[in-house]
Amino acid sequence: LPERSYGDNCALTVENVRDGIDIFVLAHSLGWFGKALIIRNHTMCWILSITFELLEYSLAHQLPNFNECWWDHWILDVFTCNWLGIYVGMKWCEHFKMKTYTWHGIREIPTIKGKLSRAGAQFTPHSWTVYQWAPTRRFKSFAGFIVFAVLLMLAELNVFYLKSLLWVPPEHPLVITRLALLFLIALPSAREYYEYYSNPRCKRMGAHCWMLITTLLTELLIIVKFGRGEFSEPFPTPVIAFWSLVASILVGFSIWQFAIAPWLRRRRSSARTEDSKTE
């Protein structure tokens, strides 16, 4: 199916910006509102938001609707739509984190407004866990952070490749249904993943998390099967160089943070201990 390219005229004018605004602007904001409810951490939301825009740059030669102007990537997407979704989503998280509950029966509430409020509260969560990812705390946390980010990016990219390869229009109910179901599964999955990630006593992930991972990998296998011969253009050299640099930085940081730096701290500590004994 033909897909719209957003990078045909990149002059920063009011008319071009107006032409670039479509239903996907709302989809960006709603999507990042949902992801903020899943991730529940400002820093991680912004890291993933910027990472996805970099992935759009990197994959624009395969998917035409990733071909966007610079101001579309950074002004409309990151600092307008994504920011709005992240901000509202995190405010939602703060609301539920601080929310108090009064466990009176509806019959004991005297006013109609109070009864309606109590009935609405029946469909909100009893408790809300704030996620503190802290990826530099230990190597398991760092590796878990990377895996979680890869899974989220895979969930984002799969939908674009699937609708391109299977000829599904963006407005088709299947696309909306897939996103809604994935969001509903991702909420408990992220909670289970975070428990495994942050709690040393938790030795395995929950069923929702495994089901989500299996779903994403199944989608990836479908993309690999139907994508054979569809994307013949090789990756541009700057894209390969950039992601090779990113991988090198991540590997180098992990070696320094979790191997060399602890060894240096232990060596200094033992040296101070020896000095104190000598004195």
Side-chain angles (χ1 to χ4, degrees), residues 31-243:
W32 277 102
F33 170 76
K35 283 189 277 290
L37 298 186
I38 295 169
I39 300 168
R40 305 182 194 179
N41 183 278
H42 273 290
T43 304
M44 193 167 181
C45 283
W46 278 108
I47 290 173
L48 294 176
S49 174
I50 293 171
T51 300
F52 185 74
E53 295 303 319
L54 295 175
L55 286 173
E56 284 191 340
Y57 274 115
S58 304
L59 300 171
H61 64 289
Q62 294 184 349
L63 297 172
N65 58 355
F66 279 0
N67 184 23
E68 300 175 354
C69 300
W70 67 267
W71 48 263
D72 198 343
H73 278 294
W74 302 109
I75 298 177
L76 277 184
D77 288 355
V78 174
F79 294 112
T80 303
C81 303
N82 296 3
W83 169 83
L84 180 62
I86 293 170
Y87 177 80
V88 175
M90 293 306 298
K91 285 297 180 184
W92 185 282
C93 294
E94 290 175 14
H95 168 73
F96 280 113
K97 180 181 111 176
M98 301 171 61
K99 187 175 180 181
T100 59
Y101 291 87
T102 303
W103 295 99
H104 295 308
I106 289 182
R107 294 180 181 178
E108 300 173 24
I109 300 175
T111 63
I112 297 296
K113 181 180 178 181
K115 292 180 186 293
L116 291 174
S117 177
R118 173 65 179 82
Q122 193 71 24
F123 299 97
T124 60
H126 171 254
S127 61
W128 192 269
T129 302
V130 178
Y131 297 161
Q132 302 293 338
W133 292 95
T136 60
R137 184 173 49 191
R138 59 184 190 274
F139 180 73
K140 179 186 175 182
S141 299
F142 182 76
F145 174 86
I146 298 297
V147 171
F148 188 77
V150 169
L151 290 174
L152 277 173
M153 292 299 99
L154 191 62
E156 289 274 352
L157 292 174
N158 279 357
V159 65
F160 290 97
Y161 278 97
L162 286 172
K163 65 186 181 65
S164 174
L165 293 171
L166 302 181
W167 296 4
V168 181
E171 64 277 4
H172 196 280
L174 276 176
V175 178
I176 308 300
T177 303
R178 183 260 183 195
L179 292 173
L181 289 176
L182 208 64
F183 169 71
L184 294 176
I185 297 173
L187 283 171
S189 299
R191 180 67 184 89
E192 293 172 353
Y193 187 88
Y194 180 76
E195 185 67 22
Y196 175 75
Y197 170 92
S198 61
N199 186 355
R201 292 175 295 180
C202 183
K203 302 302 181 183
R204 59 183 181 180
M205 294 185 293
H208 290 93
C209 194
W210 282 115
M211 181 171 65
L212 180 62
I213 293 173
T214 304
T215 301
L216 295 177
L217 292 180
T218 302
E219 290 181 344
L220 181 61
L221 290 175
I222 294 172
I223 292 167
V224 171
K225 176 180 179 180
F226 289 95
R228 290 176 182 172
E230 294 292 328
F231 306 111
S232 56
E233 187 177 346
F235 279 89
T237 301
V239 171
I240 297 174
F242 173 77
W243 289 109

